[in-house]
Amino acid sequence: MTEPGTAPDPDAEPSEPSRWARLRRPPRLMVLGARVGLVAAVAAVVVKVGIDNASSLRHIHLRVAPAWFAPAAAASLVAGLCMPLGWRLLITAYGPRVARRATLRIWWTAQITRYVPTGAAALATRVVLAAREGVPRMLAGASLPIEVAIVVGWGTVLTGALLPDSVLALPARLGVTALGAIGLAGLPVLLRRAGRWVPRMPSPRPGREGTMPLYAAESWYGVNSLLRTGAFLFLAAALLPVRWGDLALLAGAFNAGAVGGLVSIAPGGLGVREGILTLVLKGRYGFGDAAALSVALRGWDLVIDVVWLTAARVAGRRPRT
């Protein structure tokens, strides 16, 4: 620190905030560039494959088996409860506690805004609503990327474990699975380091008080991933001729598309998830049927989102006094 009225020493070491401000700009640009590149690559491949398979788009052979819609709806609705409960435990790991009804209202109100470009609306909605329940704004805002990282971790584990070798080579599958598992196992350590290194970033509570809720939150997010995968399998069975041998391919394709949509800049992963899902499944079902299934999945998710948002808003109402 310099005395008042004296010029700063040009040879002095930069302060921690200024050093961090200088170091974090390139990674941000690199991450943004990678996300934009992912969207562009998926779009280019889908357009090219779509042109090469234009005839199949005119011959879509979906057949409806209504009996499979019931288990698909049940799995989707239960999965919609797991994500808010996981977020609640994530917040608990830092100290604040949020009531269950308020948790549903906050999480699902923010979730429905994820289709707004840039994701700013989802972040702002979560921050504002959580602050009313006593959650610090910085923590509420940080919980969104942490949540996305956990879901991506589970998605990569399931992608590597389920995709057949014909789609993803075995060494790549093992690498993807290991990367996701290591990230999930080391999450408490990573968050504590982030609390020390990132300005204003909160840190989880020390010891088991912070670690156990984090792992419990991961478990809820993992159950959500499994249930959503099962719901997709039921939805696919309701629209396409699914054989037992297709289940691993469908489940792996679903999780690969989910990961791609989450890490892209597209609002709600719109277009990216559908593109990856179509590219992985076109060899089995044809480009037209695979694309139709991906579009049906997006519509299905939107209906489930509206149902849960309505239920959460009703449950979150406070009786008048």
Side-chain angles (χ1 to χ4, degrees):
M1 182 179 296
T2 60
E3 295 295 331
T6 62
D9 183 1
D11 297 327
E13 289 292 325
S15 62
E16 287 300 320
S18 63
R19 182 185 290 114
W20 171 254
R22 271 193 339 209
L23 291 176
R24 68 179 176 175
R25 289 193 188 100
R28 280 185 174 181
L29 293 177
M30 292 173 60
V31 170
L32 179 60
R35 295 173 70 182
V36 172
L38 173 63
V39 175
V42 172
V45 173
V46 171
V47 170
K48 176 63 169 60
V49 174
I51 293 174
D52 295 341
N53 297 268
S55 60
S56 66
L57 291 174
R58 296 191 294 268
H59 302 88
I60 296 176
H61 306 93
L62 297 183
R63 56 107 178 103
V64 179
W68 292 111
F69 286 124
S76 296
L77 291 173
V78 176
L81 181 64
C82 296
M83 291 284 278
L85 293 179
W87 178 78
R88 181 172 181 261
L89 284 167
L90 178 62
I91 296 298
T92 302
Y94 288 83
R97 296 183 179 274
V98 184
R100 288 187 178 86
R101 288 190 177 186
T103 297
L104 293 175
R105 177 172 50 82
I106 294 168
W107 197 92
W108 273 107
T109 304
Q111 175 72 357
I112 204 67
T113 63
R114 73 185 189 276
Y115 294 107
V116 178
T118 74
L123 179 63
T125 304
R126 180 177 291 196
V127 168
V128 171
L129 294 180
R132 296 176 183 173
E133 301 297 328
V135 179
R137 291 176 178 269
M138 187 64 184
L139 173 58
S143 69
L144 184 56
I146 294 172
E147 181 177 80
V148 170
I150 295 174
V151 177
V152 167
W154 281 113
T156 55
V157 169
L158 293 174
T159 298
L162 295 171
L163 274 181
D165 293 344
S166 58
V167 178
L168 190 64
L170 180 59
R173 290 179 55 197
L174 294 176
V176 167
T177 304
L179 184 63
I182 292 172
L184 291 171
L187 181 68
V189 176
L190 294 174
L191 293 181
R192 289 195 171 93
R193 290 185 180 272
R196 292 196 299 267
W197 292 347
V198 181
R200 299 180 58 198
M201 177 72 181
S203 182
R205 291 184 296 177
R208 294 173 57 88
E209 291 184 348
T211 301
M212 298 312 295
L214 285 174
Y215 283 136
E218 285 188 351
S219 299
W220 280 110
Y221 288 119
V223 173
N224 167 78
S225 295
L226 292 173
L227 286 172
R228 293 186 71 240
T229 301
F232 173 70
L233 295 178
F234 289 128
L235 180 64
L239 300 175
L240 295 172
V242 175
R243 300 192 299 258
W244 284 107
D246 299 332
L247 296 183
L249 173 66
L250 286 164
F254 170 78
N255 284 282
V259 170
L262 284 169
V263 301
S264 72
I265 61 172
L270 190 63
V272 176
R273 186 184 75 172
E274 287 75 15
I276 294 175
L277 191 60
T278 300
L279 293 174
V280 176
L281 295 180
K282 72 178 183 64
R284 167 65 180 90
Y285 295 104
F287 186 83
D289 286 358
L293 176 61
S294 68
V295 173
L297 174 63
R298 178 65 66 178
W300 179 270
D301 284 348
L302 184 59
V303 171
I304 297 298
D305 287 353
V306 172
V307 170
W308 259 114
L309 175 64
T310 304
R313 298 296 294 179
V314 172
R317 287 179 180 175
R318 294 171 179 167
R320 294 182 179 181
T321 58

